[in-house]
Amino acid sequence: MTVSSQPLIGRVRHARVPAFVFGTRLPESAVPRFGSLVRTRLRALDVTVYGLVYDIEVNADDAGTTRLLSIAEDVLDEELEWERNRLIPLDVSVLCVGYRDAAGNLRQALPPQPPISLDAIHTCDAAELQSFHSQLDYFRLVLDARDAPADEVIAASIRYAADAMEGDRRSFILACGRELARLLSGDSARLEQILRRLQ
Amino acid sequence: MPINANLLRARIEAAAAGASRDLVSRDALLDRLAALIGPGADPAPFAVDDNAAPISAQARFSAGETAPSVFDCGVNSDIPPIFALIAVDGSQILPDRHKPMMWALARAAAVCIVYGNGSEPALARALAGEPVLRFWSEEELWTSGRDGEPLTAGDINTERDVLERELLAERCEAARGAGLLPIALTDGSLLPFSLLNDRAWGNRPDPRALDSFRRVSNALTRMKDAGALVAGYIERPNSAAVIKACAAVGGGRQPPPTAFDRHLYERVLGPGQRGALFDPVWRVNGPDLLGGDGNAIRAVYARIEPAAARPNTIRIEVPEWRCGPGDLATLSAILARQTRLGAGYPFLLKAAHEEAVLTRRDQAELDTALLGAMQRHGLRFAASLKQSAKELE
């Protein structure tokens, strides 16, 4: 599959095989969404790693001007607008949910290596989302994740991907529901909670 | 291991007692010198003799305002209706020879708020531009150094300062290109610290200082051509140029090395007032250097804080081509507003610091990235045993 040239949105700060954090400074309108799919590349192995955004934290190191304006008197509109539209420094946490190997095969399993510091992070376009969600094996990785709010992440990722399924939204969500029912057959309460979030 | 403060108690007590003892005589001296530049004092002793050579690092009140003068700072009506306020700051990571590979990094970053033109955050972001990075590999550190030594911390700090001024010039040009008046601020002196030291300009000037000088002077010329108002904002300045000038006029014993101009002006200025503009008489300001390019720097002390705030005497540096009373009124009014917004320190300089700062986390991430790149190229380096042992702590 050809990987599209989606814009660079950040660079890896630190990483483990199951998860990584990337730093970014983006206008509010471009902040990645919880549950969205992003990708990076392991250059040494020619592997593309996919992950789901599971946490977004405003970097407190850079919040000084916000604090100052919040207590200042006589703040002008220009100053408030400037602060609101500042490139917000964010730390974005990502759960690894699959990779595409050098031969182009998609594997919804943990990648062979973590990304390297400062590797580039890109969003995925609709074609990549559709291609990635042609399999749903990644559900198990998310449901078993310990550091992430797994049920929220999986529901958000399904909703996010469903928007990219032109015309097939309903059938895609039904397929996801069936896969979740199979994986959570012994935990009907948890299944119900996730399914409610898909409605 | 924690320090046993008891071992130093006697030294600490002696230092406090000495400071207390010196304070009385220092205050008496400062009071006497302050009377020389206070309102109503005789300006004649400070009159500049154009035939006499300026005395190094001794303020010369030759910029059209007599020494014993106090002026009101600007007020809101002195602020132009439309302008782009731009601030720069920089940060650096110095080389560590105990790391697997030596490297260094300097970063300069700018921020901008466009005032009076409606809210245009996208324009402000465009005018701020992108941060500038300067990376030195191990090889570059050694080949750029002197006497068989790598680049020093001072060299890297100077390069960071120069990058900041060049970025500021570029951003002023961008603002002018957008039809806006650029008003530019630096944190600290307008000149890199290394250029202020007269030793850099002996019989055989240091080629590195000459190169930095040319780049900074070129940046100042670009700001001038962009029609910018430019100011260096110096918090807690430790210069004594005016004290030395007063001591030369007033005679008597020399002021101690811990007496600074700000101590003098604390006695002269009230809130919202500034002293007279002066030439700091640095060698770099001379006619063969900045003066020859029309970029000599002038300075003034001011208390721009409101009456109720804690007294804070700051120093403002301006280039000779925009240092008239109207320019100083505009700059002091803008700085007063910025310091109110920033809880005592200019808000936009604080924002520039946030953009520029390089943290320990940045350093660790770059270390990791470098190690990864080295491994991809089949290189194997290790930290020194000292570094490895420290990391075990």
Side-chain angles (χ1 to χ4, degrees):
Chain A
M1 182 197 166
T2 306
V3 175
S4 69
S5 55
Q6 285 292 95
L8 181 149
I9 56 166
R11 292 193 179 275
V12 173
R13 297 197 78 127
H14 48 91
R16 298 177 293 129
V17 167
F20 60 87
V21 173
F22 71 89
T24 184
R25 299 181 79 93
L26 293 168
E28 202 173 346
S29 58
V31 171
R33 281 165 51 184
F34 178 80
S36 62
L37 191 69
V38 297
R39 64 175 158 78
T40 185
R41 222 172 135 253
L42 306 180
R43 279 178 291 172
L45 303 181
D46 193 18
V47 161
T48 300
V49 176
Y50 293 96
L52 293 173
V53 171
Y54 75 86
D55 197 10
I56 302 170
E57 182 185 9
V58 176
N59 192 326
D61 296 346
D62 295 293
T65 53
T66 311
R67 278 200 299 275
L68 288 171
L69 285 187
S70 69
I71 57 170
E73 296 173 0
D74 182 30
V75 181
L76 297 175
D77 288 345
E78 290 97 325
E79 289 150 354
L80 287 175
E81 278 303 300
W82 174 82
E83 183 68 31
R84 285 195 191 109
N85 287 276
R86 249 183 118 185
L87 300 183
I88 303 165
L90 302 169
D91 285 344
V92 181
S93 300
V94 177
L95 199 60
C96 294
V97 289
Y99 64 96
R100 194 174 293 282
D101 65 21
N105 302 309
L106 177 67
R107 299 181 191 281
Q108 294 195 339
L110 291 179
Q113 287 178 359
I116 305 295
S117 286
L118 304 183
D119 279 352
I121 305 294
H122 299 266
T123 53
C124 294
D125 65 12
E128 287 174 279
L129 275 169
Q130 289 169 12
S131 172
F132 185 83
H133 287 87
S134 62
Q135 302 173 26
L136 299 175
D137 298 335
Y138 80 89
F139 281 10
R140 171 57 69 194
L141 281 174
V142 180
L143 291 172
D144 289 347
R146 293 188 173 185
D147 297 333
D151 296 0
E152 296 286 352
V153 173
I154 205 158
S157 79
I158 291 169
R159 288 197 307 268
Y160 187 80
D163 292 341
M165 303 292 169
E166 297 157 0
D168 291 335
R169 187 176 204 288
R170 182 176 160 74
S171 57
F172 172 71
I173 290 179
L174 282 173
C176 291
R178 279 195 292 273
E179 179 66 7
L180 286 169
R182 190 180 70 77
L183 293 170
L184 296 173
S185 58
D187 192 347
S188 57
R190 188 178 182 191
L191 174 64
E192 185 185 344
Q193 286 302 313
I194 297 175
L195 293 179
R196 278 179 188 275
R197 289 177 171 86
L198 294 180
Q199 289 171 359
Chain B
M1 185 178 175
I3 289 175
N4 181 355
N6 281 332
L7 296 175
L8 294 171
R9 189 174 297 278
R11 293 288 305 275
I12 292 169
E13 285 297 321
S20 171
R21 189 175 55 247
D22 293 345
L23 193 61
V24 177
S25 62
R26 192 191 74 157
D27 279 353
L29 177 66
L30 285 168
D31 287 342
R32 186 171 65 77
L33 296 179
L36 297 171
I37 58 165
D42 180 10
F46 292 96
V48 171
D49 178 357
D50 289 334
N51 295 319
I55 299 170
S56 177
Q58 183 173 303
R60 232 164 105 97
F61 289 86
S62 59
E65 295 177 345
T66 56
S69 311
V70 168
F71 303 87
D72 287 335
C73 289
V75 292
N76 279 346
S77 58
D78 292 307
I79 298 177
I82 301 175
F83 63 101
L85 186 62
I86 306 163
V88 289
D89 200 9
S91 180
Q92 70 285 319
I93 295 173
L94 299 174
D96 182 345
R97 68 190 177 91
H98 293 290
K99 290 280 177 65
M101 180 183 266
M102 279 173 65
W103 58 276
L105 180 69
R107 174 160 71 178
V111 288
C112 172
I113 299 181
V114 176
Y115 284 92
N117 210 18
S119 290
E120 293 200 57
L123 174 61
R125 208 157 49 229
L127 293 182
E130 293 295 320
V132 178
L133 291 170
R134 172 80 167 91
F135 177 83
W136 290 269
S137 66
E138 182 161 311
E139 187 183 356
E140 288 168 316
L141 286 168
W142 284 98
T143 54
S144 308
R146 280 166 289 201
D147 306 324
E149 293 291 327
L151 276 186
T152 65
D155 295 331
I156 291 164
N157 290 341
T158 299
E159 177 64 18
R160 180 208 65 193
D161 286 344
V162 174
L163 289 176
E164 287 178 37
R165 275 72 189 157
E166 290 178 330
L167 178 61
L168 196 59
E170 180 190 291
R171 297 297 93 211
C172 285
E173 289 168 341
R176 177 55 70 189
L180 295 163
L181 164 67
I183 299 183
L185 304 178
T186 65
D187 178 29
S189 175
L190 283 178
L191 300 177
F193 184 73
S194 61
L195 302 189
L196 303 182
N197 191 330
D198 286 358
R199 278 183 303 219
W201 310 111
N203 291 334
R204 291 177 58 200
D206 177 1
R208 199 184 304 275
L210 268 177
D211 178 63
S212 299
F213 152 72
R214 288 194 185 103
R215 289 169 62 193
V216 169
S217 191
N218 183 48
L220 286 166
T221 300
R222 290 168 64 192
M223 291 183 227
K224 176 185 177 183
D225 292 345
L229 259 176
V230 183
Y233 178 95
I234 306 172
E235 169 94 8
R236 193 171 282 210
N238 278 350
S239 170
V242 177
I243 283 192
K244 286 176 184 164
C246 290
V249 165
R253 78 179 170 90
Q254 287 299 302
T258 54
F260 301 119
D261 291 346
R262 59 186 154 92
H263 299 129
L264 200 64
Y265 278 100
E266 277 166 12
R267 291 159 162 78
V268 174
L269 302 177
Q273 291 185 325
R274 69 167 177 88
L277 192 70
F278 63 91
D279 172 1
V281 192
W282 298 309
R283 178 71 183 78
V284 71
N285 248 358
D288 53 335
L289 293 167
L290 284 172
D293 293 346
N295 288 325
I297 302 300
R298 306 287 180 241
V300 66
Y301 288 92
R303 282 184 60 187
I304 55 173
E305 84 282 354
R310 192 176 77 181
N312 184 29
T313 304
I314 58 143
R315 173 172 162 131
I316 302 171
E317 291 182 359
V318 287
E320 62 178 319
W321 36 263
R322 284 293 305 250
C323 66
D327 298 324
L328 294 177
T330 297
L331 287 170
S332 57
I334 287 173
L335 286 170
R337 173 167 173 72
Q338 285 289 313
T339 50
R340 277 201 307 277
L341 209 57
Y345 180 76
F347 174 79
L348 211 61
L349 284 174
K350 161 79 175 157
H353 167 77
E354 288 185 0
E355 295 295 317
V357 68
L358 291 162
T359 62
R360 290 175 74 91
R361 191 164 72 160
D362 294 324
Q363 184 168 359
E365 285 163 10
L366 285 164
D367 274 333
T368 306
L370 269 169
L371 275 176
M374 285 156 57
Q375 285 167 2
R376 283 195 291 278
H377 287 84
L379 299 168
R380 293 285 181 272
F381 291 103
S384 71
L385 294 176
K386 178 179 175 180
Q387 179 71 22
S388 302
K390 279 183 177 177
E391 287 169 0
L392 283 176
E393 287 171 1

